Amino acid sequence: MSNYNNQRSFFFNVDWVMVFIYLALCTIGWFNIHAAVFDEKHPSIIDFSTNYGKQFLFILIAMTIGAVILLLESRLITALTPAFYGITLLLLMLVLVVGRNVGGNQAWISLGGGFRLQPSEFAKLTTCLLLARYLSSTNVKVTDLKSFATALAIIGVPMFLIMLQPDTGSTLVFFSLVFVLYREGLSPYFLIIGFLFIALFISAILYPPLYVIAVIIGITLLIIWMFKRNRKLVVTLVAGLAICIAFVFSVKFIYNHVLQPHQKVRIDIMLGIKSDLKGKGYNVNQSKIAIGSGKLWGKGYLHGTQTKYAFVPEQSTDFIFCTIGEEWGFAGSIVLLGLYLFLVLRVIMVAERQRSPFSRIYGYGVASVIFFHVMINVGMTIGLVPVIGIPLPFISYGGSSLLSFTILLFILIKLDSNRMGIV
């Protein structure tokens, strides 16, 4: 009788709302991958010789793994977190040696049979876990310099290894974890400074460095004159000015010597410096045409002309949102974005109701990663951000992406289901 009550309690403690949203997103992704790469010679949606057939297989594997996670002990997850993180780092180093280069990124390890593993997708998951474990440790406060530096190191090591591939998109995702640090007590000034440096980065690309530096010096001198009696503030402003000047010059160096040519062109096109509708700007231009052609209600399932005739490259992966926009229209796009918004808000709500600091911190990591992926991927397809190549969670074709996001979400669901028994 006790075992029956435990099973019944477990069943009711699982957040089935998140499970339902997960299943809905996976189903939407599967059908839209079918539409994006539809082959009349292989019309069956479960034909395993096609990408949509393989995605169905990935979904079954992901759901099985999700179910297994729900049956695990929560303490086992926290205990094995350092090992998971270490294995991920080893895989990130291994991919630099034996990895397969696809699209200019050496990010995949071939598993044979046409299947590949992308370690960077799983690095996001293990980094969230280790960050949560560290920040939830006794006497660790993100406001302390040592704790803050350690947290940055946990985030920064996989970032550095992924940048060596080089995979700019996956690297940038790790910046979203700053919201986790903010939730745990990091001063909001860090967020403000972060946005200021983004603005400075854009300005340094758009305008000559000396012009940008002159404006910064002028603003700094004005503030110093207004608060000249506050010596501490004056010293801080002078130090900040020196950092900003160094940053402006470093931006030009990174832009000219670190970024790949195709990445520079994409940034130039996004900022309006260049127009290349037949070259590097082709993907985004065709993407906007496809989404716009869907109008309010879309052209209908398997009736998208831009999709059917493959005008948009990578339409089943990075540009899957084009298929949704064209075939399901503005209405379908809003439904999808609404599901994502509901999921992120639900994850935050679930995170806030946790008794365990580890579970709460991990929950915010899940929300940050999913939100960043959706925002950048959708923004990329409509021309608001550069094309950096990151998947749309649960929607884009790919086993590594689907499995990593499934594990990411179901670990939170498991932790939440056991929240009354974990402190």
Side-chain angles (χ1 to χ4, degrees):
M1 188 68 178
S2 176
N3 186 45
Y4 170 78
N5 288 333
N6 288 337
Q7 291 177 348
R8 188 171 182 272
S9 176
F10 167 77
F11 180 84
F12 282 105
N13 283 340
V14 169
D15 194 299
W16 294 107
V17 174
M18 284 199 290
V19 174
F20 172 78
I21 297 173
Y22 164 78
L23 293 174
L25 289 171
C26 287
T27 304
I28 292 171
W30 181 31
F31 276 89
N32 281 281
I33 291 168
H34 180 240
V37 292
F38 179 72
D39 185 350
E40 293 181 355
K41 296 179 181 178
H42 303 276
S44 174
I45 197 170
I46 55 173
D47 187 330
F48 294 120
S49 65
T50 64
N51 281 1
Y52 35 91
K54 291 178 182 177
Q55 187 70 9
F56 176 63
L57 180 61
F58 293 149
I59 291 172
L60 292 179
I61 294 172
M63 289 173 60
T64 302
I65 292 175
V68 170
I69 290 172
L70 294 181
L71 298 175
L72 292 176
E73 279 287 337
S74 298
R75 288 183 174 83
L76 182 64
I77 297 172
T78 57
L80 293 177
T81 287
F84 292 149
Y85 183 82
I87 291 171
T88 304
L89 294 185
L90 290 175
L91 289 173
L92 288 175
M93 289 185 279
L94 180 65
V95 79
L96 296 174
V97 180
V98 301
R100 180 179 174 184
N101 194 301
V102 179
N105 297 332
Q106 191 167 322
W108 286 266
I109 298 174
S110 179
L111 301 177
F115 294 98
R116 304 191 301 261
L117 176 70
Q118 188 176 4
S120 59
E121 290 296 330
F122 295 94
K124 304 164 192 175
L125 158 68
T126 57
T127 300
C128 286
L129 283 170
L130 189 62
L131 185 65
R133 172 165 167 152
Y134 175 71
L135 293 178
S136 61
S137 302
T138 307
N139 299 325
V140 171
K141 294 182 179 179
V142 75
T143 51
D144 294 338
L145 182 59
K146 182 180 178 180
S147 299
F148 180 62
T150 304
L152 288 184
I154 291 172
I155 299 170
V157 173
M159 279 183 68
F160 174 74
L161 292 173
I162 294 170
M163 179 57 81
L164 293 178
Q165 295 176 2
D167 185 353
T168 307
S170 294
T171 303
L172 292 176
V173 172
F174 287 84
F175 282 108
S176 67
L177 296 179
V178 70
F179 291 104
V180 178
L181 303 180
Y182 172 68
R183 169 59 182 83
E184 293 307 305
L186 186 67
S187 171
Y189 288 115
F190 282 94
L191 291 179
I192 296 172
I193 292 171
F195 286 118
L196 288 176
F197 273 100
I198 291 173
L200 200 58
F201 178 86
I202 295 172
S203 300
I205 294 175
L206 289 175
Y207 307 104
L210 293 180
Y211 289 179
V212 178
I213 291 171
V215 171
I216 297 171
I217 292 175
I219 294 174
T220 304
L221 290 176
L222 178 62
I223 298 174
I224 289 175
W225 179 77
M226 293 173 62
F227 299 96
K228 54 189 174 183
R229 294 184 179 180
N230 190 333
R231 296 185 62 182
K232 185 177 179 180
L233 178 61
V234 170
V235 172
T236 302
L237 287 171
V238 171
L241 175 62
I243 293 172
C244 288
I245 292 174
F247 180 75
V248 170
F249 284 113
S250 68
V251 166
K252 278 297 180 183
F253 176 81
I254 292 171
Y255 183 75
N256 292 323
H257 302 286
V258 177
L259 293 180
Q260 299 294 314
H262 68 277
Q263 294 171 333
K264 291 192 288 185
V265 171
R266 287 169 179 170
I267 292 175
D268 289 345
I269 292 170
M270 186 203 69
L271 296 178
I273 299 173
K274 293 180 180 178
S275 179
D276 185 14
L277 300 183
K278 294 183 179 180
K280 294 297 182 182
Y282 176 82
N283 288 17
V284 175
N285 184 56
Q286 293 298 322
S287 171
K288 291 192 286 186
I289 291 173
I291 294 171
S293 67
K295 298 183 181 179
L296 181 58
W297 300 111
K299 297 175 181 177
Y301 184 55
L302 297 179
H303 288 91
T305 53
Q306 295 291 117
T307 294
K308 183 179 294 184
Y309 298 111
F311 284 104
V312 183
E314 308 296 338
Q315 196 158 342
S316 65
T317 53
D318 298 341
F319 285 87
I320 189 69
F321 189 72
C322 301
T323 302
I324 296 166
E326 182 180 20
E327 298 198 347
W328 304 104
F330 180 76
S333 300
I334 289 298
V335 169
L336 177 64
L337 294 177
L339 279 174
Y340 277 124
L341 178 61
F342 189 22
L343 176 61
V344 171
L345 292 177
R346 185 74 181 182
V347 168
I348 292 174
M349 186 203 78
V350 166
E352 285 295 340
R353 74 186 182 192
Q354 300 306 304
R355 298 175 64 197
S356 160
F358 172 86
S359 301
R360 182 189 67 245
I361 297 166
Y362 177 75
Y364 269 89
V366 174
S368 299
V369 170
I370 292 176
F371 175 76
F372 188 89
H373 264 267
V374 174
M375 181 181 68
I376 297 299
N377 182 278
V378 174
M380 182 176 75
T381 60
I382 60 179
L384 293 181
V385 300
V387 178
I388 56 176
I390 62 173
L392 193 58
F394 313 110
I395 302 290
S396 294
Y397 170 76
S400 293
S401 172
L402 179 61
L403 291 176
S404 65
F405 277 112
T406 298
I407 297 170
L408 184 78
L409 183 63
F410 272 79
I411 286 178
L412 176 64
I413 295 173
K414 173 59 186 177
L415 294 173
D416 177 63
S417 71
N418 203 33
R419 66 185 180 276
M420 301 308 294
I422 301 177
V423 181

